[in-house]
Amino acid sequence: MLSRVVVLGAGFGGLEVTSTLLDELDGEVEITLIDKTAGFVFGFSKLDVMFGRATAEAVFHPYADVVRPGVRFVQAEITAIDAAAKRVSTTAGDFEADHLVIALGADYDVARTQGLAEAGHEFYSEAGAFALRDELAAFEGGDVVIGITAGPFKCPPAPSETALLMDELLRGRGIRDRSSISLVMPFPRPIPPSRDASAALLETFAERGIAWHPETGVRSLDADARVARLGDGSTLPFDLYLGVPVHRAPAVLVDCGLTVEGWVPVDPATLETPWPGVFAVGDCASVGTPRAGVFAERQGATAARRIASRVRGGATDAAYDGRGICYIEFGGDEIGIVEVSFFEGRPNGTLQGPSRELAAHKREFGASRIRRWFGRDWTP
């Protein structure tokens, strides 16, 4: 009898769980992959669309392409999870598993930041980033504020990238001299685990006249006065506000009692939850690494290998190592690569670049994942 694995969520973590299980257990496993959306979009592709470098259609990867022998995709909303029974209820029916993987990511709580919905724009969701394409195309210059309310948030380099790409956009259109760009972040450095990357970003901010406001967050937006109110009591005027919303675990995880202090608890090495046979990976899990796709992918591979060993009835030493890389857009087609380790003493990250040569590395990263997960060629 085939072992049944149900994977909740089809982001980096869920897709890598699925692919690794097929590699490890070809013909021995029945995988059901459930996601509420119809397709996958890389985080970096959101910025490509937002800044007019790609269309939404070009960066969308339909989950129908994931379907192979041993895998079925179900587009549905998850309504309840019984972790002890490994049973999941959805708008498309109920599913039972021998092994369950929760990879539902993090949701955005726009309402938690007063005035964000009325006066600003969030750019972390696909809908938010894609809608900003037209907004930025029509922007005639002025005060731009890029603000984070609080951590943790997905893809720590993204706000810095947004500031640098905004600078590039405004310079290219000849309106940078009548514009300002401010970046507000509740961290002492743009990339906390990497002093090298942070120093390179701060140097670039200074060169390009981007104002850096560390160790404070945006508490609210005043839609009438058009100012952002910061946690340190100061204010920043804005004509365009680009915000990173408060992140939280999906409501279904909270409602079903699967979270502790806001996130799903796991063993950082094995990714297993307190419920035997139930794993959690990616942004919804309390692992101790950044909420970013490359970390979710590596966690997914570890969880899949541990599931495969149990299906085969053997032992495994597969363990998540807390390593990952992040790409940073510096503008001008220059890319930096930060390699970080979180489980080997104090978190430490080293920087390569930035350089134009590393842009090819980033393109191959995206192309290789689409080949692996979707079985087709794609050029980012």
Side-chain angles (χ1 to χ4, degrees), residues 303-362:
R305 292 187 180 107
R306 297 193 73 87
I307 291 171
S309 70
R310 294 184 186 183
V311 171
R312 291 191 296 254
T316 180
D317 58 359
Y320 176 53
D321 60 8
R323 290 179 171 272
I325 62 168
C326 288
Y327 297 94
I328 305 177
E329 290 257 11
F330 278 78
D333 296 323
E334 292 196 337
I335 300 292
I337 299 178
V338 181
E339 188 169 358
V340 188
S341 173
F342 280 85
F343 292 172
E344 299 173 0
R346 187 174 181 176
N348 183 48
T350 58
L351 175 69
Q352 297 180 56
S355 72
R356 292 190 174 188
E357 289 73 23
L358 290 176
H361 192 290
K362 179 181 176 180

Side-chain angles (χ1 to χ4, degrees), residues 258-327:
L258 302 183
T259 59
V260 175
E261 297 182 352
W263 308 98
V264 181
V266 297
D267 181 318
T270 68
L271 290 312
E272 191 162 12
T273 70
W275 300 273
V278 179
F279 297 78
V281 302
D283 298 338
C284 68
S286 183
V287 182
T289 55
R291 287 175 165 82
V294 290
F295 294 95
E297 176 186 355
R298 211 168 177 97
Q299 293 164 24
T302 298
R305 292 187 180 107
R306 297 193 73 87
I307 291 171
S309 70
R310 294 184 186 183
V311 171
R312 291 191 296 254
T316 180
D317 58 359
Y320 176 53
D321 60 8
R323 290 179 171 272
I325 62 168
C326 288
Y327 297 94

Side-chain angles (χ1 to χ4, degrees), residues 105-137:
D107 285 349
Y108 306 120
D109 192 350
V110 174
R112 281 277 297 278
T113 304
Q114 181 182 348
L116 176 54
E118 296 78 16
H121 305 269
E122 65 84 10
F123 63 96
Y124 260 49
S125 71
E126 291 168 28
F130 292 176
L132 273 163
R133 179 188 177 105
D134 292 339
E135 186 79 23
L136 295 186

Side-chain angles (χ1 to χ4, degrees), residues 108-191:
Y108 306 120
D109 192 350
V110 174
R112 281 277 297 278
T113 304
Q114 181 182 348
L116 176 54
E118 296 78 16
H121 305 269
E122 65 84 10
F123 63 96
Y124 260 49
S125 71
E126 291 168 28
F130 292 176
L132 273 163
R133 179 188 177 105
D134 292 339
E135 186 79 23
L136 295 186
F139 186 58
E140 296 180 350
D143 296 318
V144 181
V145 175
I146 300 155
I148 296 98
T149 301
F153 58 90
K154 298 181 185 179
C155 193
S160 298
E161 294 178 301
T162 301
L164 294 170
L165 292 174
M166 178 61 69
D167 172 79
E168 182 177 56
L169 176 73
L170 297 178
R171 290 182 189 277
R173 291 166 56 186
I175 55 175
R176 183 64 175 95
D177 59 347
R178 61 174 187 264
S179 302
S180 70
I181 301 173
S182 300
L183 175 59
V184 181
M185 190 178 293
F187 299 145
R189 298 188 295 273
I191 311 294

Side-chain angles (χ1 to χ4, degrees), residues 71-136:
V71 181
R72 66 169 167 165
F73 171 69
V74 177
Q75 185 177 353
E77 189 85 30
I78 296 159
T79 57
I81 302 169
D82 184 336
K86 294 188 282 293
R87 182 182 302 113
V88 179
S89 298
T90 78
T91 51
D94 294 346
F95 300 87
E96 294 186 351
D98 299 305
H99 303 278
L100 178 65
V101 182
I102 302 170
L104 289 175
D107 285 349
Y108 306 120
D109 192 350
V110 174
R112 281 277 297 278
T113 304
Q114 181 182 348
L116 176 54
E118 296 78 16
H121 305 269
E122 65 84 10
F123 63 96
Y124 260 49
S125 71
E126 291 168 28
F130 292 176
L132 273 163
R133 179 188 177 105
D134 292 339
E135 186 79 23
L136 295 186

Side-chain angles (χ1 to χ4, degrees), residues 201-218:
L201 284 169
L202 291 174
E203 181 179 347
T204 307
F205 293 164
E207 291 172 354
R208 300 183 190 178
I210 296 169
W212 162 243
H213 300 267
E215 298 188 273
T216 189
V218 174

